Amino acid sequence: MLIHPWDAPTDDAEWQQWLTTHDFGQLAANGPPGEPPVLQPLHFAYDPSRREAVTHLARPNPLWAALEERPTVLLSVVDDYTFIPGPWQAAEDQPPEHGVPTSFYAAVQLTCTAHVVDDPEAKAALLQRQLGHFQPDGGSAPVAADAAPYGRLLPGIRGLRLEVREVRAKFKYGGKRSEAVQHRISERLTERDGPGDAAARTHQQRRLAAGNAATGAPRS
């Protein structure tokens, strides 16, 4: 993934915060020689204090065989995306039809070492961590290896700890454009109000404000 300086995170907190609410991605592992990578969509829970993500999959999943060959994997998350028409991007001294269309999106890629979890107690603890992330208000029975309803189901799954080794994050929201053009795009996103437009506008305005604060420039 190419990351220009104007699309890079302002700091680690930016992508870490984003992952707390964007917790569905695709896990890629190398397949056998000559075969394409194994790509698995999944929910996960990321813990910045431990620098790891946890998840689980069914025992028959083909991903396990790929992990035996090589435990290095890539967890990719992409969201808050929208299409930006060319005229919206035209510079102030350009005719609208000379503007170049583009995509706005946020993306985080975590290169990880995968650790398979098969011990029943450890697997129950991992599942409880996921449940705590996705159901903070509770409502489900605790996950325990020796108790219903989950105890009898644990043999059918395997847990997965993804130890993060490298992070590549990108927030592509027109950062290379002038402030006037960025405000124009923001206005057009508000007017169009299509899928993804509100989230993209929020990112754009937040990053524009952060850039102005960092440089001491006035906010127009």
Side-chain angles (χ1 to χ4, degrees), residues 10-11 16 18 23-24 37 41 62 66 69 78 80 82 85 95 104 108 111 121-123 139 169 186 198 203 210 216:
T10 54
D11 53 29
Q16 289 174 348
W18 189 75
D23 40 28
F24 190 89
E69 292 290 328
V78 180
D80 299 342
T82 194
F104 279 6
V108 176
T111 300
E121 296 291 341
K123 197 159 39 174
S186 182
H203 281 298

Side-chain angles (χ1 to χ4, degrees), residues 93-135:
D93 59 352
Q94 283 185 315
E97 61 270 23
H98 286 192
V100 179
T102 193
S103 300
F104 279 6
Y105 61 88
V108 176
Q109 295 179 350
L110 306 177
T111 300
C112 308
T113 299
H115 302 277
V116 179
V117 179
D118 277 328
D119 174 78
E121 296 291 341
K123 197 159 39 174
L126 183 149
L127 290 174
Q128 188 62 50
R129 286 173 60 187
Q130 278 195 271
L131 196 60
H133 171 76
F134 289 106
Q135 288 185 214

Side-chain angles (χ1 to χ4, degrees), residues 16-178:
Q16 289 174 348
Q17 177 62 33
W18 189 75
L19 280 186
T20 65
T21 56
H22 295 79
D23 40 28
F24 190 89
Q26 296 198 85
L27 187 65
N30 284 336
E35 295 294 324
V38 178
L39 198 60
Q40 175 63 48
L42 47 71
H43 270 111
F44 64 91
Y46 175 72
D47 185 342
S49 66
R50 304 190 192 193
R51 285 187 61 84
E52 71 175 16
V54 294
T55 187
H56 67 279
L57 296 167
R59 188 168 289 276
N61 197 292
L63 182 75
W64 306 119
L67 295 183
E68 290 178 3
E69 292 290 328
R70 188 181 180 197
T72 300
V73 296
L74 183 72
L75 178 59
S76 175
V77 186
V78 180
D79 207 344
D80 299 342
Y81 56 85
T82 194
F83 176 76
I84 304 299
W88 295 11
Q89 288 233 112
E92 297 94 316
D93 59 352
Q94 283 185 315
E97 61 270 23
H98 286 192
V100 179
T102 193
S103 300
F104 279 6
Y105 61 88
V108 176
Q109 295 179 350
L110 306 177
T111 300
C112 308
T113 299
H115 302 277
V116 179
V117 179
D118 277 328
D119 174 78
E121 296 291 341
K123 197 159 39 174
L126 183 149
L127 290 174
Q128 188 62 50
R129 286 173 60 187
Q130 278 195 271
L131 196 60
H133 171 76
F134 289 106
Q135 288 185 214
D137 296 331
S140 295
V143 184
D146 56 356
Y150 301 109
R152 66 180 181 82
L153 302 174
L154 288 179
I157 65 169
R158 305 180 83 184
L160 194 56
R161 284 196 311 106
L162 303 174
E163 181 184 2
V164 178
R165 299 297 191 187
E166 181 185 1
V167 179
R168 293 180 59 76
K170 181 174 183 175
F171 292 86
K172 185 175 182 289
Y173 292 103
K176 69 179 293 186
R177 303 296 171 185
S178 71

